[in-house]
Amino acid sequence: MKKRFLIKIEGTVQGIGFRPFVYRIAKENKLNGFVKNNPEGVTIEVEGEVKNLNKFLLKLKRDKPPLTKYTLFEIKEIPLKNEIEFEILKSEEKGEKIALILPDIATCEECKREIFDKDNRRYNYPFTNCTNCGPRFSIIQNIPYDRKNTTMKIFEMCPECREEYENPINRRFHAQPNACPECGPEVFLTDREGNIIEKGEKAIEKTAQLLKKGKIIALKGIGGFQLLTNALSDECVLELRKRKKRDEKPFAIMFKNLEHLKEYAYISKTEKELLLSPQSPILLVKSKKKSKLSKYCAPDNPYIGAILPYTPLHHLLMSKIDFPIICTSGNLSEEPIAYENEEALIRLKDIADYFLMNTRPIERYIDDSVVKIINNKPLVIRRARGYAPLPFIIKKNLPQILALGPYLKNTIAISKFNRIIVSQHIGDLDNEKSFNAFKKVIEDFKKLYEFKPEIIACDAHPEYLSTKYGEELSKNENIPLIKVFHHHAHISSCMIENRIEEEVLGVSWDGTGYGKDGKIWGGEFLICDFKDFKRFASFREFGLLGGDKAIKEPRRSAIGILYEIYGEKIFERDFEPIKSLTEEERKIFKSAYEKNLSIFKTTSVGRIFDAVSSLLNLKQKNTFEGQAAMILEWIAENYKGKLKTPYTFEIKKENYYVIDFVPIFEEIISDIKRKRSKSYIAYKFHLTLAEIVKKISQLTDKDKILLSGGVFQNKLLTELIFKKIKNKKIFTHSQIPPNDGGISIGQIKISYHNL
């Protein structure tokens, strides 16, 4: 008996060879009908003998391509049409645009073999790709994902590529970026003035030679420019730091392959899988002590940001050199990366000696993602290439909400139907280029997803540029604006990721966030759901001179805490943060605290980390955000003892529970005087914070504890909390950054619940 089914599928089904897969299994089972893309996903109509249809459906669910993910699978019987073929039909362009847009995908093994096969027509071709790999988000201009809606539309396919593209059994069937040396993009090398020196294979060969000579190269990658130089050479790395104006912040390092990387770092099984994954992020791995890498790649840092080649161009270049290279963003520090040829020649002319560019346009820039492993699970710290813009699927449809994110590590997010789509990492909104990029990403998302905001969500901080932008947009376009408190958004983001709807105990620890009382919060325990939150516990307040300046000077946090404990006498004592002040600075600080001028109250755990780091004289001034706290974590990791007793602390009941840090710091100062090792003190401090989470969690009947905020990028602290708390469920981030990069998605749900 024959039947015909209509099958509607939504999810990750476009741009990954899904339609050829459907075609093949339909033909194998002698079925007729069609498959076609539509703005929502894929539609299949298929008819034939029932036993063959059952085999087809089994394969459709069981054997789908590796990157496929179904979020909707609907099937119903419809009347027979008695067709005689199975076809792949032209894509539909009408309807609501909710199809998933894939991120850019690292080169697959088959394409990698082709570019190194002398008998293959794509030998040495740096833009080789197929339905399993290559650019997606960086080239798409519109939905559905067809070639005419990508930047590849300017390249007319040659007969051989066209045959591959139109052959349903070829792995390049409807591979939209499909190309070869005859018809596709071309790579070329220029000097700083844009004069072409070499093209094609010779350009890559010449670039390798220049790297061997110690030059700095700007390479146009899949989502923008990268700056390359020899990672073994102190001279090269220091010169790059000087030109890029980047003092000590670690550089990512590209290695030829996994075996090459293992010469320089320890790699676990989980780390190996992530390095070789389609996402291919920058992964923070423990470096070997006798590594030959320049000490300036990641000064005083036991970890390196390792990355493997993820495009054919990277593979070809790395095959011609025998040393690792710095592979860092093509920008001046804190600016968005350059991604257009002419733009790069202007913005990077004082950094790069040469430019390895190409003719494939990039529609939108996207940086490399950064990931680390905590508790044997990936934790995305910067969500960009390989991850963005995959959506987060929620249970209920939402109105169209535009969430503008925070000030630091900005991302924006939109909601449409039951999906929340978070943008690629934008960065700190502290310069004109970053703020322009922020506005451009918003317009890009509006166009790409045919998105029209019905609600705007922003941070409650009145001085954030994103907040002011939201206020202006709301006023000009008459759209309701909902302001969301920073730490509530952190916990909300963790709830979304872990699909939790009920009230929880959220531990929101970070550097800074605007609180309900107008003060700087950052050491918060919140009882909350998506609707509202109650401050359940927090740290004792202390005063910071200069507020945000304390982010750059950990000694300011230490002085604030010391003043809270000892008063003005601290300026006569020999604490390390006091000793780091000049005589003039000492007078200014003392006067400011005595007169309470420019003193901002905070409960920030990020600043408490800074204070301990300063007292141990690990860092008095940061050269990048979070540096002092990171050093404290690394020093603590060196502790090899069996310490189980934390520092003393007190929990007092006021309007909420207040954690008094005074006993902690008195004992730390005592340990310093007793010349306890810095690793002992740093470890005991981490142990104390984990104990505080345990004690506060025992004061509530909530059995779900969520950890969010930048502090929970700290591997040691997070793992200590898991060890200490056994009778409650602990939830952390994985695919959404715990830092401010996750704020925007949290804002979406809170604003919806406060309409």
Side-chain angles (χ1 to χ4, degrees):
M1 183 177 69
K2 285 187 175 181
K3 286 187 177 180
R4 184 179 183 93
F5 292 137
L6 167 63
I7 304 167
K8 290 184 177 178
I9 301 176
E10 293 179 12
T12 312
V13 289
Q14 292 188 15
I16 55 170
F18 186 73
R19 287 177 299 168
F21 159 71
V22 173
Y23 178 89
R24 282 195 296 274
I25 61 174
K27 298 294 278 187
E28 283 171 13
N29 290 288
K30 300 177 181 176
L31 301 173
N32 300 323
F34 66 83
V35 57
K36 63 180 177 182
N37 281 344
N38 59 50
E40 296 85 18
V42 162
T43 301
I44 303 168
E45 287 193 24
V46 60
E47 69 178 46
E49 294 294 332
V50 171
K51 64 179 182 181
N52 292 343
L53 283 168
N54 289 336
K55 289 178 184 176
F56 172 83
L57 291 173
L58 178 66
K59 283 179 175 287
L60 192 61
K61 293 180 179 177
R62 187 189 65 191
D63 300 338
K64 55 188 182 292
L67 295 172
T68 306
K69 186 176 179 182
Y70 298 155
T71 58
L72 174 77
F73 191 101
E74 286 183 353
I75 179 168
K76 69 175 182 180
E77 187 176 347
I78 58 175
L80 288 169
K81 292 184 180 176
N82 295 315
E83 290 163 321
I84 58 171
E85 286 290 342
F86 192 91
E87 298 178 280
I88 298 176
L89 298 185
K90 191 177 177 182
S91 301
E92 285 182 14
E93 298 191 13
K94 295 179 180 178
E96 289 284 355
K97 294 189 176 182
I98 58 172
L100 293 192
I101 296 174
L102 282 180
D104 298 331
I105 308 165
T107 306
C108 71
E109 286 300 314
E110 286 177 288
C111 284
K112 197 162 71 178
R113 278 195 291 273
E114 285 186 353
I115 63 174
F116 290 113
D117 179 359
K118 290 182 179 177
D119 296 326
N120 192 288
R121 72 189 187 96
R122 289 188 173 85
Y123 176 59
N124 276 339
Y125 184 57
F127 302 98
T128 301
N129 65 81
C130 70
T131 50
N132 293 319
C133 67
R136 301 288 189 276
F137 185 49
S138 61
I139 61 168
I140 191 168
Q141 295 173 313
N142 208 343
I143 295 175
Y145 176 64
D146 284 337
R147 190 173 178 102
K148 67 177 183 178
N149 290 330
T150 74
T151 62
M152 284 296 294
K153 65 188 176 189
I154 63 173
F155 300 99
E156 183 69 30
M157 278 187 272
C158 67
E160 284 183 273
C161 283
R162 174 62 65 185
E163 195 280 332
E164 292 171 337
Y165 183 85
E166 294 178 348
N167 183 353
I169 61 171
N170 192 291
R171 70 184 173 90
R172 292 195 167 90
F173 176 70
H174 284 201
Q176 308 305 341
N178 189 28
C180 74
E182 292 299 317
C183 63
E186 185 179 31
V187 66
F188 56 94
L189 181 72
T190 79
D191 60 18
R192 284 175 165 173
E193 283 70 45
N195 300 309
I196 295 178
I197 299 169
E198 294 286 3
K199 290 184 177 181
E201 294 178 33
K202 290 182 179 178
I204 301 172
E205 182 62 45
K206 180 71 175 176
T207 300
Q209 292 172 12
L210 291 168
L211 285 169
K212 290 174 185 174
K213 290 178 180 177
K215 299 299 182 184
I216 296 173
I217 308 296
L219 176 146
K220 186 180 181 183
I222 202 165
F225 277 82
Q226 297 166 320
L227 294 165
L228 316 178
T229 197
N230 187 345
L232 301 184
S233 164
D234 287 351
E235 185 181 353
C236 290
V237 179
L238 284 173
E239 184 62 24
L240 178 57
R241 286 199 176 280
K242 178 183 167 187
R243 295 186 192 178
K244 193 172 157 65
K245 298 180 181 176
R246 183 156 155 167
D247 295 330
E248 294 179 320
K249 190 174 182 180
F251 284 135
I253 304 167
M254 181 171 280
F255 298 84
K256 183 180 296 187
N257 51 40
L258 193 63
E259 295 308 309
H260 190 208
L261 169 58
K262 285 180 178 177
E263 295 175 21
Y264 298 88
Y266 300 99
I267 306 297
S268 69
K269 183 183 175 187
T270 305
E271 289 167 339
K272 173 186 170 182
E273 289 173 355
L274 196 54
L275 284 161
L276 297 175
S277 70
Q279 291 79 24
S280 189
I282 296 170
L283 183 65
L284 304 185
V285 295
K286 199 79 176 275
S287 61
K288 292 184 175 178
K289 286 186 178 177
K290 294 184 179 179
S291 162
K292 293 180 182 177
L293 290 171
S294 166
K295 61 185 176 184
Y296 299 108
C297 291
D300 302 319
N301 190 333
Y303 293 87
I304 54 174
I307 189 168
L308 299 180
Y310 58 86
T311 69
L313 181 57
H314 289 125
H315 283 290
L316 291 168
L317 181 61
M318 294 303 291
S319 72
K320 300 178 188 305
I321 56 178
D322 58 1
F323 51 86
I325 56 171
I326 299 291
C327 183
T328 188
S329 305
N331 58 1
L332 273 175
S333 285
E334 312 309 331
E335 291 183 354
I337 59 173
Y339 66 100
E340 294 174 326
N341 292 346
E342 293 302 318
E343 172 201 16
L345 284 170
I346 296 169
R347 288 180 56 197
L348 305 180
K349 67 178 180 179
D350 295 327
I351 303 178
D353 297 307
Y354 295 91
F355 293 75
L356 185 62
M357 301 198 278
N358 64 68
T359 55
R360 182 170 68 194
I362 296 172
E363 181 65 15
R364 63 188 59 76
Y365 79 88
I366 185 160
D367 221 323
D368 292 323
S369 294
V370 180
V371 180
K372 70 188 295 187
I373 302 295
I374 295 182
N375 259 344
N376 208 34
K377 189 172 81 170
L379 176 70
V380 174
I381 296 173
R382 183 170 74 191
R383 191 171 184 270
R385 180 187 53 77
Y387 296 90
L390 283 178
F392 294 87
I393 309 299
I394 54 177
K395 292 179 181 175
K396 294 181 180 178
N397 286 356
L398 297 179
Q400 298 195 28
I401 304 172
L402 169 64
L404 299 171
Y407 175 67
L408 297 174
K409 299 180 178 62
N410 182 272
T411 60
I412 63 115
I414 64 170
S415 60
K416 193 167 183 180
F417 301 105
N418 65 336
R419 299 171 184 191
I420 303 177
I421 303 155
V422 183
S423 75
Q424 69 272 39
H425 168 82
I426 297 171
D428 301 347
L429 303 183
D430 58 356
N431 62 74
E432 186 179 356
K433 286 188 172 62
S434 294
F435 189 56
N436 287 339
F438 162 80
K439 291 186 285 187
K440 190 170 182 179
V441 169
I442 293 170
E443 294 306 313
D444 185 33
F445 268 43
K446 283 183 181 176
K447 176 187 168 194
L448 195 55
Y449 293 97
E450 288 190 353
F451 172 81
K452 187 175 181 181
E454 300 166 279
I455 299 158
I456 300 169
C458 68
D459 197 282
H461 197 303
E463 296 302 319
Y464 281 1
L465 279 179
S466 52
T467 302
K468 291 181 177 178
Y469 177 83
E471 289 170 340
E472 188 176 338
L473 187 64
S474 168
K475 182 180 177 183
N476 292 343
E477 301 192 15
N478 195 28
I479 303 171
L481 176 71
I482 296 177
K483 295 187 177 181
V484 177
F485 284 98
H486 189 90
H487 297 97
H488 191 196
H490 268 309
I491 302 303
S492 169
S493 70
C494 197
M495 290 172 69
I496 294 167
E497 174 151 24
N498 291 288
R499 305 180 74 81
I500 295 172
E501 297 284 336
E502 68 268 36
E503 203 171 62
V504 300
L505 173 66
V507 186
S508 184
W509 287 0
D510 64 1
T512 182
Y514 190 75
K516 279 186 175 178
D517 54 6
K519 296 177 182 176
I520 305 168
W521 290 15
E524 312 310 315
F525 292 82
L526 309 179
I527 300 291
C528 64
D529 54 19
F530 288 121
K531 173 75 175 173
D532 200 2
F533 70 93
K534 173 188 171 187
R535 198 180 200 184
F536 184 70
S538 185
F539 280 76
R540 174 173 170 171
E541 292 179 351
F542 60 98
L544 283 176
L545 175 57
D548 288 346
K549 286 184 180 176
I551 295 172
K552 296 179 179 177
E553 294 188 25
R555 61 185 184 175
R556 288 177 181 252
S557 298
I559 291 170
I561 285 179
L562 292 171
Y563 191 85
E564 186 73 17
I565 301 173
Y566 302 111
E568 63 184 38
K569 294 177 184 176
I570 62 166
F571 295 105
E572 312 305 324
R573 296 182 62 174
D574 63 348
F575 296 118
E576 292 294 344
I578 302 297
K579 285 160 62 178
S580 75
L581 300 173
T582 64
E583 195 54 40
E584 184 63 23
E585 288 172 333
R586 193 179 295 214
K587 290 177 184 174
I588 293 170
F589 271 70
K590 186 178 180 182
S591 174
Y593 274 98
E594 286 175 348
K595 297 175 182 174
N596 196 27
L597 291 175
S598 298
I599 303 296
F600 298 87
K601 292 291 185 181
T602 185
T603 57
S604 166
V605 171
R607 299 291 81 80
I608 292 175
F609 264 91
D610 283 352
V612 177
S613 191
S614 171
L615 281 169
L616 295 178
N617 202 26
L618 296 174
K619 204 72 185 174
Q620 302 298 349
K621 293 184 179 180
N622 284 337
T623 62
F624 60 91
E625 193 220 346
Q627 185 180 19
M630 289 180 198
I631 294 173
L632 191 69
E633 179 189 358
W634 303 331
I635 293 289
E637 287 177 346
N638 290 334
Y639 176 71
K640 303 301 180 190
K642 297 181 179 177
L643 183 63
K644 292 185 178 177
T645 306
Y647 286 119
T648 304
F649 59 88
E650 295 179 18
I651 299 175
K652 300 174 182 176
K653 185 73 171 78
E654 298 178 8
N655 292 332
Y656 50 87
Y657 290 103
V658 176
I659 303 143
D660 189 351
F661 52 69
V662 170
I664 299 173
F665 279 87
E666 288 176 336
E667 291 183 18
I668 287 175
I669 290 166
S670 174
D671 277 344
I672 292 172
K673 287 180 180 176
R674 293 165 62 193
K675 299 192 182 305
R676 285 279 197 181
S677 73
K678 292 182 180 179
S679 63
Y680 171 91
I681 296 170
Y683 182 85
K684 194 169 182 177
F685 171 68
H686 280 73
L687 195 65
T688 307
L689 292 180
E691 183 70 16
I692 288 170
V693 175
K694 178 183 174 183
K695 291 292 185 187
I696 296 294
S697 72
Q698 290 170 343
L699 297 174
T700 168
D701 59 357
K702 305 302 173 195
D703 65 353
K704 291 182 178 176
I705 304 169
L706 277 63
L707 310 180
S708 190
V711 167
F712 292 107
Q713 296 171 130
N714 185 311
K715 174 181 167 69
L716 175 63
L717 174 61
T718 305
E719 293 179 350
L720 282 172
I721 291 172
F722 271 90
K723 285 179 183 176
K724 276 193 170 287
I725 301 176
K726 298 295 184 186
N727 60 342
K728 300 202 175 193
K729 295 176 184 174
I730 302 173
F731 297 87
T732 58
H733 288 276
S734 179
Q735 301 300 301
I736 298 174
N739 58 44
D740 285 4
I743 287 288
S744 60
I745 188 170
Q747 291 173 340
I748 292 266
K749 283 281 273 185
I750 294 171
S751 60
Y752 169 68
H753 284 267
N754 283 278
L755 291 175

